[in-house]
Amino acid sequence: MGEPLRMGIVGCGNISAQYLRTLTSADETSVVAVADLDADKAAHAAATYGARAFSVDEIFGVDEIEWILNLTTPAAHEDVSLAAIGQGLSVYNEKPLCATVAAAQRVLEAAHAAGVAVGSAPDTVLGTGLQTARATLASGAIGRPVFATATMAVPGHELWHPAPDFYYAPGGGPLLDMGPYYLTALVTLLGPVAAVYGAASRTRDERIISSGPRKGERIGVAVDSHITAICEHASGALTTLIMSFDAAASQAARIEVHGEEGSMAVPDPNEFHGAVQVHSVGGTWEMVTPSAGYTGAGRGLGLIDIARSADRRTGRASAELGFHVLDVMSSILRSADDGQRRMVSSTCTVPDPVPLTELSYARTGGAGQRA
């Protein structure tokens, strides 16, 4: 391996610590600089992880940087991405790729014109959980996939997040927030989505923050908080998708895939690891030994995967996949709005599978849980 992939991070909010732990510990990556609109947050992150702090305007001009990791809120993804691209930098966005399909198109067009690369979270699909599920499916263990179910049903982020406003603003909601994990997993397992039906509801117009300095404050809800969809995959498989901030709790499986010869339980797509189980017709549930994916994974794995590629630009957490998932979600929301079945205009190539690969963390800190 050559020199680590050098990057700057824009956005030092809640999720940034997970990325920083991974990317400052892995052999393949190095965090040179961090920036945030809140200078104190940037200074704290820089001091904790051995980087340098800059303003958001300054960071794009730091000479050593090759990639910008964009951890801002979805509404800011386009502006930050275009600023990075304008300085000749490749950019990797936290999910979703952008807040809208039109914004994502502008980013991809600008990147193409500038000759730089774009990547997109989520990268959880590259861990042992989803990759073992993919290998199990490819082995024919459950036969031809017929349908899948995917369920994320929780009370809402205001119960734990100290500033949950953006989850209920345009560009937020359960589908755009958590849907990327589930749909990226489903596209990886069953292929791209060709058409969707959607329905949506909004339980209440206000939410109450339950923790932090703003505890008790009421915030407005400007988006639907419960989404149900049917996704028609080009392969012929059907997925029933539920994404909700309106449930007290759920015992439903995160993802199940049902085939002609058996069923498969898939672990939480918001995690890198987890048990895969298979139930053949007339049999019982049996655990599957992890057989594929990166072990020892953490947030930022997508950039490590890029750093491992021959050109240090091409990764499995690709803009093509991220754009298709965003297009699927946008199509679901449009269908929910007008009650019509919607064709999904984009498609994607499912990224190459990941063989069972142990990640190496030469520097202190590690990435967290191992498979």
Side-chain angles (χ1 to χ4, degrees):
M1 186 186 72
E3 291 295 315
L5 193 72
R6 301 182 303 276
M7 65 194 67
I9 296 179
V10 179
C12 299
N14 280 3
I15 196 66
S16 64
Q18 296 183 45
Y19 276 92
L20 281 159
R21 282 196 297 270
T22 301
L23 297 172
T24 58
S25 301
D27 296 336
E28 297 91 342
T29 53
S30 174
V31 178
V32 174
V34 296
D36 194 279
L37 291 175
D38 184 332
D40 289 339
K41 286 184 178 180
H44 176 74
T48 303
Y49 294 99
R52 288 177 287 158
F54 293 87
S55 72
V56 173
D57 290 335
E58 292 171 337
I59 195 170
F60 305 113
V62 177
D63 289 339
E64 303 98 308
I65 292 174
E66 302 170 77
W67 281 75
I68 287 290
L69 170 57
N70 183 2
L71 300 182
T72 60
T73 59
H77 282 188
E78 178 185 6
D79 288 344
V80 170
S81 297
L82 291 176
I85 291 166
Q87 293 299 313
L89 299 172
S90 296
V91 63
Y92 183 97
N93 281 356
E94 176 55 276
K95 53 79 190 169
L97 177 59
C98 284
T100 67
V101 168
Q105 287 174 326
R106 289 190 288 270
V107 167
L108 297 184
E109 288 168 0
H112 178 74
V116 299
V118 178
S120 177
D123 51 13
T124 46
V125 72
L126 305 181
T128 55
L130 268 296
Q131 288 295 316
T132 295
R134 180 178 180 179
T136 300
L137 196 62
S139 75
I142 67 169
R144 182 179 68 88
V146 177
F147 74 96
T149 59
T151 302
M152 190 286 302
V154 298
H157 294 327
E158 71 276 7
L159 290 185
W160 60 271
H161 199 293
D165 309 66
F166 72 92
Y167 291 111
Y168 300 103
L175 183 61
L176 288 174
D177 176 41
M178 294 300 292
Y181 297 108
Y182 288 79
L183 285 164
T184 300
L186 290 161
V187 170
T188 298
L189 294 172
L190 303 174
V193 175
V196 298
Y197 298 86
S201 63
R202 190 178 312 176
T203 303
R204 49 195 184 275
D205 294 326
E206 287 186 334
R207 300 271 174 153
I208 301 174
I209 299 175
S210 299
S211 64
R214 296 171 60 195
K215 182 177 180 179
E217 182 179 332
R218 295 177 180 272
I219 58 173
V221 177
V223 295
D224 289 323
S225 50
H226 177 93
I227 311 291
T228 298
I230 296 173
C231 299
E232 302 175 10
H233 296 265
S235 64
L238 298 176
T239 290
T240 301
L241 179 74
I242 295 174
M243 297 282 111
S244 185
F245 287 161
D246 290 336
S250 174
Q251 291 185 331
R254 301 289 187 171
I255 297 176
E256 287 184 342
V257 180
H258 303 276
E260 291 179 324
E261 299 174 17
S263 298
M264 179 174 66
V266 179
D268 186 348
N270 193 20
E271 301 289 344
F272 290 93
H273 61 285
V276 176
Q277 299 181 68
V278 169
H279 194 305
S280 59
V281 175
T284 59
W285 285 109
E286 297 181 4
M287 302 286 287
V288 178
T289 302
S291 61
Y294 286 110
T295 66
R299 308 281 173 177
L301 174 59
L303 282 159
I304 295 173
D305 187 65
I306 288 169
R308 283 171 163 255
S309 68
D311 60 2
R312 292 163 64 91
R313 293 165 51 94
T314 306
R316 293 176 175 89
S318 68
E320 180 190 18
L321 177 57
F323 183 86
H324 179 62
V325 167
L326 177 61
D327 195 13
V328 172
M329 294 189 296
S330 178
S331 299
I332 289 170
L333 294 175
R334 291 200 307 272
S335 175
D337 185 56
D338 64 19
Q340 302 296 311
R341 176 176 177 266
R342 288 279 184 168
M343 300 302 296
V344 179
S345 58
S346 68
T347 187
C348 69
T349 301
V350 177
D352 291 340
V354 181
L356 193 62
T357 304
E358 177 73 19
L359 291 172
S360 175
Y361 296 98
R363 299 188 292 280
T364 59
Q369 300 184 28
R370 294 185 176 264

